[in-house]
């Protein structure tokens, strides 16, 4: 399971304050803690913490990379604005990889935005990957078929550009369960995953912003855990998630084992943590 | 979710002792506790507690039905021997339903055992249902396709006999994860469920002996919970399970909600318990 740790995000109060006070320690501690917990990538999102999105993204990247002992966990540069991601790429050490998070297929203006991300990823190096949302100029689809159709367009476009499908993380866009009329969405998303994983061979990765499912809901960790287990049995192999939630990480370990990605041993929870580091 | 509570089974030490000492209170307490926890059926299995399987099954049924206040939760008569189930049926009040648990499609001797169960169920009343294992004269299949093929034969045979598919609980037979080479089984079983639920319209129920998955393993409750969430997203609508495991019951409530069987509310855990009673 490829886990993208969600906590370095200006939407969280402690991170927002750290950004505003230029307090590197708070950010570096989160980088190290999430790495220790098993993060494959550290998500980096300025959020609403600063008007200077580009400069702040660069400050966050430099702060994480200069953590004591040297944090070499690859980063996931998270912004809806390509210029903010580009700013981060200017200062990043992408030797171990980097995730460009995220792009729709195209925009209302018909701008071929995915093309731009493929160019940026190629410039960033052979290990740079892209999170591509199943979203296009018409917005976020609500049904299964449109999600799959957009995913197919994303994979096709990547292939045309010679960009390996395995460098794509397709995100079928999880909506909060609490939104009225959204209760049909989890089923639709799982059904979309069933098809997305057969779009190419080898397949693209499939990822979700897991915590979105429980946005505003009671029992958030429980809902996250249950949906993650379900999704991992439908082909999900990545998630932006709270890796500091130990109950969630135990579900990841058990799911990997049940899906035959990890062999059974009595100490499978410990083994998972060791192997994932 | 149709939950068949597993605890009244002579394989458990307290139940074995109660059977041997003819201690009705232990059995009746388990019946009431499991009913309160949300059991749809109470499984009744003599296990190895007594040589007189038929007499003991009858004693258990009578004991549960004479519980203080009157326990009217339907029973699941659990035995590999049809004569033991038949003995239970002689003394049961099946007004609210009864499960005949369980039969393979047929046996090594080519005996058409499912036919016999259909006859017994019809005699027991219109609400009597059958748990039918995806197992035939060749034993327990290891792959997806044979499981589905046997399930199809079960549904076909039931239809030929005029026995409603909705009175069938198809059990694709869960094997312990800890058994060598069994790690491919959970995936095979989920894939079988994906097909079994489309065998008829309306479909047969799908059930599993959930605790089998974690037999002999560490972290049993975790493994049970994770597999249950996965299976519920592949069409599982019933399980023989430990309803006294509160963490498991919370996963059932969250899964029912994520699968749109229950509407979201902030108190969905409490609502589930109330509705299921």
């Amino acid at each position: 399971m490829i886990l993208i740790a969600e906590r370095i995000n200006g939407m969280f109060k402690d991170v927002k304050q750290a950004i505003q006070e230029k307090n590197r320690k708070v950010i570096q501690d989160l980088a190290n803690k999430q790495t220790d917990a098993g993060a494959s990538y550290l998500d980096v999102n300025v959020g609403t913490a600063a008007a200077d999105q580009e400069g702040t993204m660069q400050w966050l990247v430099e702060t994480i990379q200069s953590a004591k002992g040297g944090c070499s966990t690859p980063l996931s540069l998270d912004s809806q604005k390509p210029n903010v991601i580009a700013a981060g790429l200017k200062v990043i050490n992408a030797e171990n990889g980097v995730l460009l998070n995220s792009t729709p297929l195209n925009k209302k203006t018909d701008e071929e935005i995915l093309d731009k991300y493929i160019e940026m990823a190629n410039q960033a190096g052979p290990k740079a990957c892209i999170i591509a949302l199943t979203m296009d100029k018409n917005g976020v689809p609500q049904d299964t078929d449109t999600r799959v159709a957009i995913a197919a367009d994303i994979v096709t476009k990547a292939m045309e550009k010679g960009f390996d499908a395995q460098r794509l993380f397709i995100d079928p866009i999880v909506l909060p369960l609490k939104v009225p009329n959204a209760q049909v969405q989890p089923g639709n998303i799982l059904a979309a995953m069933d098809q997305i994983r057969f779009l190419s061979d080898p397949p693209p990765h499939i990822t979700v912003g897991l915590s979105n499912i429980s946005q505003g809901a009671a029992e958030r960790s429980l809902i996250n855990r249950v949906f993650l287990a379900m999704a991992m049995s439908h082909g999900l192999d990545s998630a932006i998630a709270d890796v500091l939630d130990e109950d969630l990480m135990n579900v990841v370990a058990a799911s990997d084992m049940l899906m035959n990605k990890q062999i059974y041993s009595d100490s499978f929870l410990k083994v998972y943590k060791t192997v994932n580091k």
Side-chain angles (χ1 to χ4, degrees), chain A:
Chain A
M1 190 68 177
I2 301 168
L3 290 164
I4 307 158
E6 71 180 14
R7 273 295 270 109
I8 302 179
N9 186 320
M11 298 300 282
F12 290 102
K13 208 175 155 189
D14 55 346
V15 174
K16 185 172 191 168
Q17 192 178 340
I19 288 171
Q20 287 166 349
E21 295 172 358
K22 297 279 181 208
N23 181 340
R24 292 194 190 266
K25 191 173 178 304
V26 170
I27 306 298
Q28 290 169 339
D29 283 353
L30 276 173
N32 287 329
K33 265 172 69 179
Q34 293 185 117
T35 298
D36 288 345
S40 318
Y41 290 90
L42 301 173
D43 199 60
V44 186
N45 188 322
V46 176
T48 55
D52 176 12
Q53 294 269 313
E54 296 182 25
T56 307
M57 177 60 91
Q58 291 186 331
W59 179 80
L60 282 169
V61 169
E62 286 167 337
T63 297
I64 295 164
Q65 293 190 154
S66 64
K68 204 178 156 188
C71 180
S72 58
T73 311
L75 304 183
S76 157
L77 304 180
D78 187 352
S79 172
Q80 297 306 309
K81 296 176 182 164
N83 59 307
V84 177
I85 293 181
L89 288 174
K90 274 185 199 153
V91 295
I92 207 169
N93 174 358
E95 216 172 73
N96 296 327
V98 59
L99 258 176
L100 280 53
N101 178 16
S102 60
T103 177
L105 172 66
N106 51 33
K107 290 199 168 181
K108 270 187 190 152
T109 53
D110 269 328
E111 187 191 350
E112 292 299 332
I113 185 82
L114 177 61
D115 292 2
K116 189 178 278 182
Y117 276 77
I118 289 176
E119 271 170 45
M120 286 201 291
N122 278 332
Q123 277 171 22
K127 287 190 180 171
C129 297
I130 297 171
I131 295 185
L133 308 168
T134 60
M135 179 180 169
D136 63 7
K137 55 187 170 185
N138 301 313
V140 176
Q142 304 292 308
D143 64 327
T144 301
D145 290 352
T146 313
R147 281 186 170 94
V148 176
I150 297 174
D153 284 347
I154 290 167
V155 171
T156 303
K157 190 168 268 286
M159 282 177 163
E160 281 170 5
K161 295 265 172 190
F163 192 79
D164 196 330
Q166 287 187 285
R167 292 171 71 185
L168 290 174
F169 287 65
I170 308 271
D171 181 342
I173 310 181
V174 167
L175 304 172
L177 191 63
K178 208 182 170 173
V179 167
N181 301 322
Q183 292 218 215
V184 74
Q185 291 300 330
N188 286 354
I189 288 162
L190 298 176
M193 289 179 185
D194 281 339
Q195 297 182 59
I196 292 170
R197 61 177 161 157
F198 293 112
L199 283 178
S200 64
D201 183 18
H205 296 287
I206 305 177
T207 197
V208 289
L210 182 65
S211 304
N212 284 350
I213 191 91
S214 63
Q215 197 74 48
E219 302 289 346
R220 290 200 64 177
S221 172
L222 171 68
I223 293 172
N224 293 345
R225 289 197 302 273
V226 169
F227 186 66
L228 187 68
M230 289 177 167
M232 287 179 73
S233 77
H234 290 267
L236 186 86
D237 68 344
S238 166
I240 308 171
D242 181 7
V243 300
L244 302 179
D245 179 344
E246 198 169 342
D247 289 338
L248 184 75
M249 294 301 279
N250 289 345
V251 166
V252 172
S255 297
D256 256 0
M257 193 174 64
L258 283 161
M259 289 295 99
N260 202 20
K261 305 268 164 99
Q262 182 104 357
I263 205 92
Y264 175 82
S265 83
D266 283 345
S267 54
F268 72 92
L269 293 181
K270 276 187 197 161
V271 169
Y272 184 81
K273 280 176 194 161
T274 317
V275 168
N276 235 38
K277 257 180 213 168

